[in-house]
Amino acid sequence: MWFILALFSSLTFGLAGFMMKISSHHKGSNNYLLLGLYVSGAMGFLWWMLHTGATLFTWPVVLFGLVIGIGSAAGNLLFMKALEVGPASLTAPLTNSNILLTVIMSILLYQETISWTEMIGVILLVAAISLLPIDPNENLRIRNISWYGLVLTATLLFFLRNGGLKITEELHLPGATILFVSYVVGIAWFGISILRDRPEPPRTRAIGWWWGLGAGVFSFAGLQIYSIALSKGPASIIAPIFATNSLVVALLSILIYRERLSWMQRLCLLLLFAGLILIRM
């Protein structure tokens, strides 16, 4: 059951990522996109909290929600800044390595055990995720030393989000309430950014806002399903499967925008399917 949930969480979260790509394709505002995402996502988690009765705002719940929210919002901000000063072909794979930190934590701290075939499957999934952003034609020279600090900090912040959800599941804290708090952090973060920055054109704001609202619905669904999957199965396998949502975005981009499938993307898909097969053997 947890394997199906992990796959579905990747697919659903990938749809959120694709909506963000659509907004970018139509020159939508990033600030309004992310504000819309966090608003509709927070409403989704609020509905789930009321539906399940998990509305207990204890200090541990609020604290973990703040940490996970800061990890998500600040991680995305530093990731975008790293892309401005360094090559995407190195930035994206290195920040994606936060998945390995979650796997290592789950094995060492929570004594999760996985078979050799599952381990090889996880390695293939991580390889697929890491190779996907690589552009063989991109200049990989690092000209700004700040790039190293930005990438390292962004990686650790993303680990606060992904690893934090594993820790809260082990502590039997309500995942929906924690994620609701984390999305409220995102609303405050990008709301302040909009008030602080120069006003953007109405059309740009509208594109970002409406696609963000749509993305937030799928973001809520993906993370909630991921949280449920973590409560039923090993994070050392579920986390890498969830992280393949970037491949979902790539496939939808190929189908909708007729983007050509490069040899690197073909290799990533081959690694993806091989990894999933080995995990289920």
Side-chain angles (χ1 to χ4, degrees), residues 82-103:
L83 288 176
E84 293 174 1
V85 298
S89 293
L90 290 178
T91 304
L94 288 174
T95 52
N96 281 337
S97 66
N98 73 85
I99 304 157
L100 292 175
L101 297 178
T102 303
V103 172

Side-chain angles (χ1 to χ4, degrees), residues 22 44 55 58 103 123 130 186 205 213 227 230 242 251 271 278:
I22 294 174
T55 56
T58 61
V103 172
I123 292 171
S130 299
R205 297 199 302 262
L213 287 176
S227 178
L230 286 175
F242 175 73
L251 283 174
L271 293 174
L278 285 171

Side-chain angles (χ1 to χ4, degrees), residues 83-245:
L83 288 176
E84 293 174 1
V85 298
S89 293
L90 290 178
T91 304
L94 288 174
T95 52
N96 281 337
S97 66
N98 73 85
I99 304 157
L100 292 175
L101 297 178
T102 303
V103 172
I104 293 169
M105 179 192 73
S106 301
I107 293 173
L108 295 181
L109 193 58
Y110 297 109
Q111 289 77 49
E112 289 188 2
T113 57
I114 57 178
S115 67
W116 280 107
T117 55
E118 290 174 331
M119 177 62 75
I120 295 171
V122 166
I123 292 171
L124 291 178
L125 290 184
V126 173
I129 298 160
S130 299
L131 290 173
L132 182 67
I134 293 178
D135 180 0
N137 299 316
E138 186 175 21
N139 183 0
L140 300 183
R141 184 179 178 185
I142 308 298
R143 295 184 175 87
N144 192 327
I145 196 170
S146 67
W147 177 84
Y148 294 96
L150 290 169
V151 168
L152 176 61
T153 309
T155 302
L156 295 175
L157 286 168
F158 284 137
F159 172 63
L160 286 182
R161 180 190 66 186
N162 298 331
L165 287 173
K166 168 62 179 176
I167 294 172
T168 57
E169 285 298 333
E170 291 292 335
L171 293 173
H172 304 293
L173 297 175
T177 310
I178 289 170
L179 286 167
F180 170 74
V181 173
S182 73
Y183 270 55
V184 170
V185 172
I187 292 173
W189 188 293
F190 291 102
I192 291 171
S193 293
I194 288 171
L195 294 174
R196 184 189 59 202
D197 296 344
R198 178 184 297 180
E200 298 177 89
R203 181 177 181 276
T204 300
R205 297 199 302 262
I207 292 172
W209 171 252
W210 289 111
W211 282 112
L213 287 176
V217 173
F218 288 100
S219 176
F220 145 70
L223 282 175
Q224 185 58 52
I225 295 169
Y226 174 63
S227 178
I228 295 171
L230 286 175
S231 68
K232 298 180 179 297
S236 51
I237 299 176
I238 293 170
I241 293 176
F242 175 73
T244 60
N245 61 76

